[in-house]
């Protein structure tokens, strides 16, 4: 499994440990075909990744920056307060696991940077929803040519 996918899966598993988020579907991927009765839900995926050589020589090591997208999908009838409650809990889980010594994310990532939040309403669709999109950059290293090994 590519390290990128392993990180996304780990983030989804960590989000599922939150009392607020655990009762909702946690979806890994860009598609969230869920019914209104299942909302709210959270989707996690890797949007983009960049790479640079970190160590030249044999074996070369790459430093990778994965842009993680975590999206809370809620009913349009819910307020921005609900979006903000989900955003706060997602940030708590992400940074609690990264900053904790021997936390699950701390063991894998070199750095975790919060990039921002966007709250949008999609009312002109068959199923009106609000999206609370949080963007993080997760930095990790792999040996060149071995994208399934995090070092």
């Amino acid at each position: 499994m590519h390290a990128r996918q392993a990180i996304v899966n780990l983030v989804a598993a960590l989000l599922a440990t939150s009392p607020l988020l655990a009762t909702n579907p946690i979806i890994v991927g860009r598609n969230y075909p869920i019914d209104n009765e299942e909302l709210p839900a959270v989707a996690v995926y890797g949007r983009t990744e960049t790479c640079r050589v970190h160590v030249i020589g044999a074996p070369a090591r790459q430093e990778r920056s994965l842009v993680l997208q975590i999206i809370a999908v809620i009913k349009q009838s819910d307020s921005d307060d609900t979006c903000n409650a989900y955003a706060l809990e997602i940030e708590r889980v992400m940074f609690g696991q990264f900053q904790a010594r021997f936390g699950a994310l701390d063991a894998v990532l070199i750095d975790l940077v919060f990039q921002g939040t966007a709250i949008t309403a999609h009312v002109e669709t068959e199923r009106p929803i609000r999206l609370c999109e949080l963007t993080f950059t997760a930095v990790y290293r792999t040996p060149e040519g071995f994208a399934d090994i995090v070092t």
Side-chain angles (χ1 to χ4, degrees):
M1 174 185 307
H2 196 287
R4 173 178 54 243
Q5 186 62 44
I7 291 168
V8 169
N9 290 346
L10 175 60
V11 167
L14 293 172
L15 292 172
T17 66
S18 159
L20 174 65
L21 305 175
T23 59
N24 306 310
I26 306 282
I27 301 156
V28 175
R30 290 170 177 77
N31 298 322
Y32 25 95
I34 51 180
D35 295 325
N36 271 355
E37 298 78 40
E38 295 178 282
L39 295 178
V42 176
V44 181
Y45 63 90
R47 191 171 69 198
T48 61
E49 183 179 59
T50 58
C51 181
R52 69 177 186 87
V53 174
H54 175 68
V55 175
I56 298 174
R61 289 181 46 197
Q62 298 174 329
E63 185 169 287
R64 295 169 178 251
S65 296
L66 171 64
V67 176
L68 280 170
Q69 199 75 42
I70 303 175
I71 303 174
V73 184
I74 66 170
K75 295 177 183 176
Q76 175 59 31
S77 58
D78 288 333
S79 70
D80 279 354
D81 290 345
T82 303
C83 286
N84 287 320
Y86 274 80
L88 177 61
E89 187 63 13
I90 290 166
E91 285 187 59
R92 282 182 178 159
V93 170
M94 293 295 287
F95 285 107
Q97 285 295 319
F98 178 65
Q99 293 172 345
R101 187 177 175 110
F102 306 117
L105 285 177
D106 180 57
V108 176
L109 303 180
I110 296 164
D111 200 5
L112 179 68
V113 179
F114 177 64
Q115 299 295 330
T117 303
I119 298 174
T120 57
H122 299 266
V123 296
E124 298 165 358
T125 62
E126 181 180 310
R127 181 180 47 169
I129 57 174
R130 286 180 192 250
L131 299 178
C132 179
E133 303 176 60
L134 287 85
T135 305
F136 296 85
T137 298
V139 181
Y140 67 100
R141 292 187 182 132
T142 64
E144 188 171 55
F146 295 94
D148 57 337
I149 300 171
V150 177
T151 60

